[in-house]
PDB file of all heavy atoms in Angstrom:
ATOM      1  N   LYS A 234     -23.163 -31.456 -28.750  1.00  0.00           N
ATOM      2  CA  LYS A 234     -23.787 -32.631 -29.149  1.00  0.00           C
ATOM      3  C   LYS A 234     -22.768 -33.825 -29.010  1.00  0.00           C
ATOM      4  O   LYS A 234     -21.601 -33.768 -29.613  1.00  0.00           O
ATOM      5  CB  LYS A 234     -24.335 -32.608 -30.516  1.00  0.00           C
ATOM      6  CG  LYS A 234     -25.256 -31.436 -30.747  1.00  0.00           C
ATOM      7  CD  LYS A 234     -26.447 -31.541 -29.780  1.00  0.00           C
ATOM      8  CE  LYS A 234     -27.357 -30.302 -29.945  1.00  0.00           C
ATOM      9  NZ  LYS A 234     -28.417 -30.278 -28.977  1.00  0.00           N
ATOM     10  N   GLN A 235     -23.194 -34.936 -28.399  1.00  0.00           N
ATOM     11  CA  GLN A 235     -22.234 -36.136 -28.281  1.00  0.00           C
ATOM     12  C   GLN A 235     -22.280 -36.985 -29.521  1.00  0.00           C
ATOM     13  O   GLN A 235     -23.327 -37.346 -30.050  1.00  0.00           O
ATOM     14  CB  GLN A 235     -22.650 -36.928 -27.090  1.00  0.00           C
ATOM     15  CG  GLN A 235     -21.707 -38.019 -26.773  1.00  0.00           C
ATOM     16  CD  GLN A 235     -21.648 -38.604 -25.435  1.00  0.00           C
ATOM     17  OE1 GLN A 235     -22.464 -38.083 -24.591  1.00  0.00           O
ATOM     18  NE2 GLN A 235     -20.736 -39.434 -24.942  1.00  0.00           N
ATOM     19  N   THR A 236     -21.166 -37.246 -30.220  1.00  0.00           N
ATOM     20  CA  THR A 236     -21.118 -37.949 -31.340  1.00  0.00           C
ATOM     21  C   THR A 236     -20.397 -39.312 -31.153  1.00  0.00           C
ATOM     22  O   THR A 236     -20.380 -40.196 -32.151  1.00  0.00           O
ATOM     23  CB  THR A 236     -20.301 -37.192 -32.422  1.00  0.00           C
ATOM     24  OG1 THR A 236     -19.033 -36.971 -31.929  1.00  0.00           O
ATOM     25  CG2 THR A 236     -20.974 -35.900 -32.853  1.00  0.00           C
ATOM     26  N   GLY A 237     -19.846 -39.542 -29.983  1.00  0.00           N
ATOM     27  CA  GLY A 237     -19.173 -40.886 -29.678  1.00  0.00           C
ATOM     28  C   GLY A 237     -18.895 -40.941 -28.261  1.00  0.00           C
ATOM     29  O   GLY A 237     -19.412 -40.074 -27.454  1.00  0.00           O
ATOM     30  N   ARG A 238     -18.311 -42.000 -27.767  1.00  0.00           N
ATOM     31  CA  ARG A 238     -18.157 -42.239 -26.322  1.00  0.00           C
ATOM     32  C   ARG A 238     -17.411 -41.012 -25.634  1.00  0.00           C
ATOM     33  O   ARG A 238     -18.023 -40.587 -24.642  1.00  0.00           O
ATOM     34  CB  ARG A 238     -17.278 -43.491 -26.093  1.00  0.00           C
ATOM     35  CG  ARG A 238     -17.148 -43.830 -24.701  1.00  0.00           C
ATOM     36  CD  ARG A 238     -16.316 -45.262 -24.518  1.00  0.00           C
ATOM     37  NE  ARG A 238     -16.299 -45.575 -23.057  1.00  0.00           N
ATOM     38  CZ  ARG A 238     -15.754 -46.757 -22.640  1.00  0.00           C
ATOM     39  NH1 ARG A 238     -15.262 -47.585 -23.565  1.00  0.00           N
ATOM     40  NH2 ARG A 238     -15.717 -47.023 -21.337  1.00  0.00           N
ATOM     41  N   SER A 239     -16.414 -40.445 -26.155  1.00  0.00           N
ATOM     42  CA  SER A 239     -15.724 -39.333 -25.500  1.00  0.00           C
ATOM     43  C   SER A 239     -15.608 -38.164 -26.601  1.00  0.00           C
ATOM     44  O   SER A 239     -14.546 -37.579 -26.600  1.00  0.00           O
ATOM     45  CB  SER A 239     -14.520 -39.695 -24.908  1.00  0.00           C
ATOM     46  OG  SER A 239     -14.742 -40.618 -23.769  1.00  0.00           O
ATOM     47  N   THR A 240     -16.489 -38.187 -27.628  1.00  0.00           N
ATOM     48  CA  THR A 240     -16.350 -37.325 -28.671  1.00  0.00           C
ATOM     49  C   THR A 240     -17.617 -36.440 -28.858  1.00  0.00           C
ATOM     50  O   THR A 240     -18.744 -36.916 -28.745  1.00  0.00           O
ATOM     51  CB  THR A 240     -16.137 -38.030 -30.011  1.00  0.00           C
ATOM     52  OG1 THR A 240     -15.071 -38.951 -29.839  1.00  0.00           O
ATOM     53  CG2 THR A 240     -15.766 -37.079 -31.159  1.00  0.00           C
ATOM     54  N   PHE A 241     -17.340 -35.181 -29.092  1.00  0.00           N
ATOM     55  CA  PHE A 241     -18.427 -34.136 -29.066  1.00  0.00           C
ATOM     56  C   PHE A 241     -18.265 -33.208 -30.334  1.00  0.00           C
ATOM     57  O   PHE A 241     -17.239 -33.201 -30.948  1.00  0.00           O
ATOM     58  CB  PHE A 241     -18.458 -33.436 -27.858  1.00  0.00           C
ATOM     59  CG  PHE A 241     -18.799 -34.130 -26.558  1.00  0.00           C
ATOM     60  CD1 PHE A 241     -17.702 -34.813 -25.892  1.00  0.00           C
ATOM     61  CD2 PHE A 241     -20.053 -34.342 -26.165  1.00  0.00           C
ATOM     62  CE1 PHE A 241     -17.854 -35.498 -24.819  1.00  0.00           C
ATOM     63  CE2 PHE A 241     -20.188 -35.062 -24.917  1.00  0.00           C
ATOM     64  CZ  PHE A 241     -19.149 -35.652 -24.334  1.00  0.00           C
ATOM     65  N   ALA A 242     -19.328 -32.490 -30.617  1.00  0.00           N
ATOM     66  CA  ALA A 242     -19.371 -31.642 -31.752  1.00  0.00           C
ATOM     67  C   ALA A 242     -20.239 -30.413 -31.438  1.00  0.00           C
ATOM     68  O   ALA A 242     -21.267 -30.593 -30.707  1.00  0.00           O
ATOM     69  CB  ALA A 242     -19.746 -32.303 -33.048  1.00  0.00           C
ATOM     70  N   TRP A 243     -19.925 -29.330 -31.996  1.00  0.00           N
ATOM     71  CA  TRP A 243     -20.824 -28.240 -31.830  1.00  0.00           C
ATOM     72  C   TRP A 243     -22.001 -28.174 -32.905  1.00  0.00           C
ATOM     73  O   TRP A 243     -21.914 -28.896 -33.976  1.00  0.00           O
ATOM     74  CB  TRP A 243     -20.065 -26.839 -32.110  1.00  0.00           C
ATOM     75  CG  TRP A 243     -18.900 -26.544 -31.298  1.00  0.00           C
ATOM     76  CD1 TRP A 243     -17.610 -26.467 -31.612  1.00  0.00           C
ATOM     77  CD2 TRP A 243     -18.958 -26.318 -29.914  1.00  0.00           C
ATOM     78  NE1 TRP A 243     -16.822 -26.232 -30.535  1.00  0.00           N
ATOM     79  CE2 TRP A 243     -17.658 -26.047 -29.416  1.00  0.00           C
ATOM     80  CE3 TRP A 243     -20.010 -26.093 -28.960  1.00  0.00           C
ATOM     81  CZ2 TRP A 243     -17.402 -25.732 -28.099  1.00  0.00           C
ATOM     82  CZ3 TRP A 243     -19.658 -25.773 -27.648  1.00  0.00           C
ATOM     83  CH2 TRP A 243     -18.406 -25.519 -27.281  1.00  0.00           C
ATOM     84  N   ASN A 244     -23.143 -27.754 -32.496  1.00  0.00           N
ATOM     85  CA  ASN A 244     -24.300 -27.691 -33.399  1.00  0.00           C
ATOM     86  C   ASN A 244     -24.242 -26.421 -34.234  1.00  0.00           C
ATOM     87  O   ASN A 244     -25.299 -25.895 -34.601  1.00  0.00           O
ATOM     88  CB  ASN A 244     -25.491 -27.724 -32.455  1.00  0.00           C
ATOM     89  CG  ASN A 244     -26.838 -28.061 -33.404  1.00  0.00           C
ATOM     90  OD1 ASN A 244     -26.722 -28.797 -34.415  1.00  0.00           O
ATOM     91  ND2 ASN A 244     -28.006 -27.610 -32.896  1.00  0.00           N
ATOM     92  N   PHE A 245     -23.070 -26.077 -34.661  1.00  0.00           N
ATOM     93  CA  PHE A 245     -22.869 -24.969 -35.549  1.00  0.00           C
ATOM     94  C   PHE A 245     -21.439 -25.136 -36.107  1.00  0.00           C
ATOM     95  O   PHE A 245     -20.627 -25.892 -35.479  1.00  0.00           O
ATOM     96  CB  PHE A 245     -23.113 -23.662 -34.904  1.00  0.00           C
ATOM     97  CG  PHE A 245     -22.348 -23.419 -33.643  1.00  0.00           C
ATOM     98  CD1 PHE A 245     -21.004 -22.947 -33.651  1.00  0.00           C
ATOM     99  CD2 PHE A 245     -22.886 -23.684 -32.352  1.00  0.00           C
ATOM    100  CE1 PHE A 245     -20.301 -22.737 -32.552  1.00  0.00           C
ATOM    101  CE2 PHE A 245     -22.021 -23.554 -31.150  1.00  0.00           C
ATOM    102  CZ  PHE A 245     -20.847 -23.139 -31.238  1.00  0.00           C
ATOM    103  N   ASN A 246     -21.165 -24.299 -37.145  1.00  0.00           N
ATOM    104  CA  ASN A 246     -19.819 -24.401 -37.744  1.00  0.00           C
ATOM    105  C   ASN A 246     -18.854 -23.465 -37.009  1.00  0.00           C
ATOM    106  O   ASN A 246     -18.747 -22.269 -37.357  1.00  0.00           O
ATOM    107  CB  ASN A 246     -19.868 -24.003 -39.296  1.00  0.00           C
ATOM    108  CG  ASN A 246     -18.618 -24.217 -39.973  1.00  0.00           C
ATOM    109  OD1 ASN A 246     -17.554 -24.369 -39.443  1.00  0.00           O
ATOM    110  ND2 ASN A 246     -18.753 -24.224 -41.337  1.00  0.00           N
ATOM    111  N   ALA A 247     -18.224 -23.955 -36.039  1.00  0.00           N
ATOM    112  CA  ALA A 247     -17.396 -23.134 -35.072  1.00  0.00           C
ATOM    113  C   ALA A 247     -16.217 -22.574 -35.814  1.00  0.00           C
ATOM    114  O   ALA A 247     -15.965 -21.284 -35.555  1.00  0.00           O
ATOM    115  CB  ALA A 247     -16.915 -23.920 -33.805  1.00  0.00           C
TER     116      ALA A 247
END
Side-chain angles (χ1 to χ4, degrees):
K234 306 301 178 185
Q235 189 158 4
T236 57
R238 185 173 181 180
S239 299
T240 308
F241 300 84
W243 299 113
N244 194 26
F245 53 85
N246 188 344

